[in-house]
């Protein structure tokens, strides 16, 4: 695996791969890698002649009160995991490399950010789409891999891909979970023992929704208030940011369950904001 820190060198390395007729798969990450990230890398290795992964803790997607400075950084372990998974290129740019002084260009996908996480994290998705557009320009992948765990992010990036003609085959891969159901996340490292137990409430809430959704097909507000009451009783110290049932394409709230809908939630366990989601079928 080759580690590269400048955009120019990364661009040239991948250009040389493409010129040899090699397909390029790409997995953007913020590091602190876990089996969820590695599942994306493995999919890329299976489907492409060469795989590039970026690790960049992107400051423009963090709000002023968020965890940028304490975001976990575990580069040695990340590098080992990527080598074992068969990654060919690790792109590891500095903040100055990605945002040269005076950089003032943004990519924003309007509309889809007015729902779910976009409401409590203003500016977050503009940071995501800007950095991913830049990484796409540098790497020029044939395929790029994202996790359903960040469903709204993946939807917004799919729209950016269409709207701005990147012509990348964008794949959304299943959520990888711990044995007890907790979705893997770099932020799980923040949880102490008792918070780790409380964090299970997200998965249990999704399971409860899957079991009961049929009974609430005509009464989505009833379903959501039942789920909120469940979270409050199971994890009294947790703080619900949102529990919503939305159209999987438009991300707009639905009031009846017809076809498929996305149940998504964000819950603070202590200071740690965790998200999870599942698709429900009527
Ligand atoms: P991050 O490093 O948090 O920016 O995540 C990088 C990519 O890994 C994103 O596409 C995430 O959706 C994906 N990802 C994060 N957690 C998981 C998980 N538990 N299962 C599958 N993919 C994940």
């Amino acid at each position: 695996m080759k580690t590269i820190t400048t955009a120019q060198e990364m661009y040239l390395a991948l250009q040389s791969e493409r010129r040899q007729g090699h397909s390029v798969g790409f997995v953007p990450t913020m590091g602190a890698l876990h089996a969820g990230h590695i599942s994306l890398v493995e999919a890329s290795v299976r489907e492409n002649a060469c795989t590039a992964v970026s690790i960049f803790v992107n400051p423009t997607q963090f709000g002023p009160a968020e965890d940028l400075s304490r975001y976990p950084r575990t580069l040695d372990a990340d590098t080992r995991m990527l080598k074992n998974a068969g990654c060919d290129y690790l792109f590891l740019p500095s903040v100055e490399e990605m945002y040269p002084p005076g950089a003032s260009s943004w990519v924003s996908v309007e509309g889809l950010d007015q729902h779910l996480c976009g409401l409590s994290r203003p500016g977050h998705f503009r940071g995501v789409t800007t950095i991913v557009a830049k990484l796409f320009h540098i790497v020029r992948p044939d395929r790029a891999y994202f996790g359903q765990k960040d469903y709204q992010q993946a939807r917004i990036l799919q729209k950016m891909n269409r709207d701005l003609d990147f012509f990348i085959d964008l794949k959304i891969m299943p959520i990888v979970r711990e044995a007890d159901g907790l979705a893997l996340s770099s932020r799980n490292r923040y949880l102490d023992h008792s918070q780790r137990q409380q964090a299970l409430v997200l998965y249990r809430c999704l399971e409860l929704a899957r079991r009961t959704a049929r009974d609430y097909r005509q009464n989505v507000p009833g379903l959501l208030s039942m789920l909120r009451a469940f979270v409050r009783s199971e994890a009294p110290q947790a703080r619900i940011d949102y529990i919503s049932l939305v159209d999987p394409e438009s991300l707009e709230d639905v009031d009846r369950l017809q076809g498929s809908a996305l149940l998504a939630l964000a819950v603070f366990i202590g200071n740690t904001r965790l998200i999870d989601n599942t698709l429900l079928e009527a």
Side-chain angles (χ1 to χ4, degrees):
M1 183 175 77
K2 195 160 191 261
T3 299
I4 295 178
T5 57
T6 69
Q8 163 116 348
E9 204 191 327
M10 188 70 181
Y11 171 76
L12 291 173
L14 276 304
Q15 186 182 54
S16 151
E17 294 283 352
R18 284 191 306 274
R19 285 192 175 154
Q20 295 168 66
H22 296 165
S23 60
V24 174
F26 178 47
V27 183
T29 81
M30 299 206 300
L33 301 183
H34 50 64
H37 296 112
I38 296 305
S39 73
L40 309 182
V41 178
E42 287 171 347
S44 173
V45 168
R46 277 196 303 274
E47 295 172 6
N48 301 276
C50 116
T51 289
V53 174
S54 60
I55 296 181
F56 180 64
V57 182
N58 175 34
T60 65
Q61 71 188 69
F62 286 79
E66 292 182 356
D67 55 343
L68 172 62
S69 62
R70 64 183 194 112
Y71 196 82
R73 291 161 206 252
T74 58
L75 185 57
D76 290 346
D78 292 355
T79 307
R80 274 195 303 277
M81 288 168 83
L82 291 174
K83 276 187 190 155
N84 287 339
C87 172
D88 301 290
Y89 295 95
L90 169 57
F91 184 43
L92 206 62
S94 64
V95 172
E96 297 70 35
E97 181 68 13
M98 294 312 285
Y99 296 105
S104 61
S105 304
W106 296 97
V107 176
S108 48
V109 174
E110 293 178 6
L112 289 178
D113 62 347
Q114 297 302 307
H115 308 281
L116 306 177
C117 294
L119 297 178
S120 44
R121 303 187 73 189
H124 167 70
F125 288 112
R126 184 180 79 151
V128 170
T129 43
T130 300
I131 197 65
V132 173
K134 286 164 65 65
L135 292 166
F136 280 176
H137 286 310
I138 294 166
V139 175
R140 311 212 170 186
D142 298 281
R143 300 183 188 84
Y145 298 80
F146 296 88
Q148 188 193 316
K149 158 96 179 343
D150 300 274
Y151 185 95
Q152 184 174 20
Q153 164 175 288
R155 257 310 281 135
I156 288 176
L157 291 171
Q158 274 181 334
K159 184 133 199 307
M160 178 186 84
N161 187 39
R162 279 274 296 279
D163 288 355
L164 298 182
D165 305 308
F166 280 93
F167 294 107
I168 293 168
D169 183 2
L170 209 149
K171 310 262 188 181
I172 303 182
M173 309 299 291
I175 301 175
V176 177
R177 299 179 178 282
E178 302 278 8
D180 62 6
L182 179 68
L184 295 189
S185 163
S186 304
R187 290 189 167 96
N188 292 350
R189 289 166 201 260
Y190 298 146
L191 304 173
D192 66 25
H193 181 71
S194 111
Q195 291 172 333
R196 170 66 181 74
Q197 284 307 109
Q198 292 173 50
L200 267 183
V201 77
L202 282 90
Y203 180 65
R204 294 204 176 125
C205 176
L206 296 180
E207 279 196 317
L208 177 59
R210 271 196 292 265
R211 283 199 306 274
T212 55
R214 276 176 153 273
D215 307 334
Y216 286 92
R217 264 179 302 188
Q218 305 294 332
N219 179 16
V220 169
L223 171 68
L224 296 177
S225 55
M226 184 272 291
L227 295 174
R228 286 192 194 103
F230 172 78
V231 170
R232 279 194 287 267
S233 75
E234 288 281 298
Q237 287 130 316
R239 183 162 66 77
I240 299 170
D241 180 359
Y242 65 78
I243 301 179
S244 302
L245 189 71
V246 300
D247 179 275
E249 296 287 311
S250 70
L251 306 183
E252 277 170 23
D253 286 330
V254 296
D255 49 17
R256 271 188 293 164
L257 182 55
Q258 287 169 317
S260 68
L262 182 82
L263 184 76
L265 76 171
V267 175
F268 282 93
I269 306 289
N271 292 324
T272 306
R273 186 176 177 281
L274 300 177
I275 57 173
D276 205 342
N277 68 76
T278 192
L279 282 165
L280 298 180
E281 305 292 335

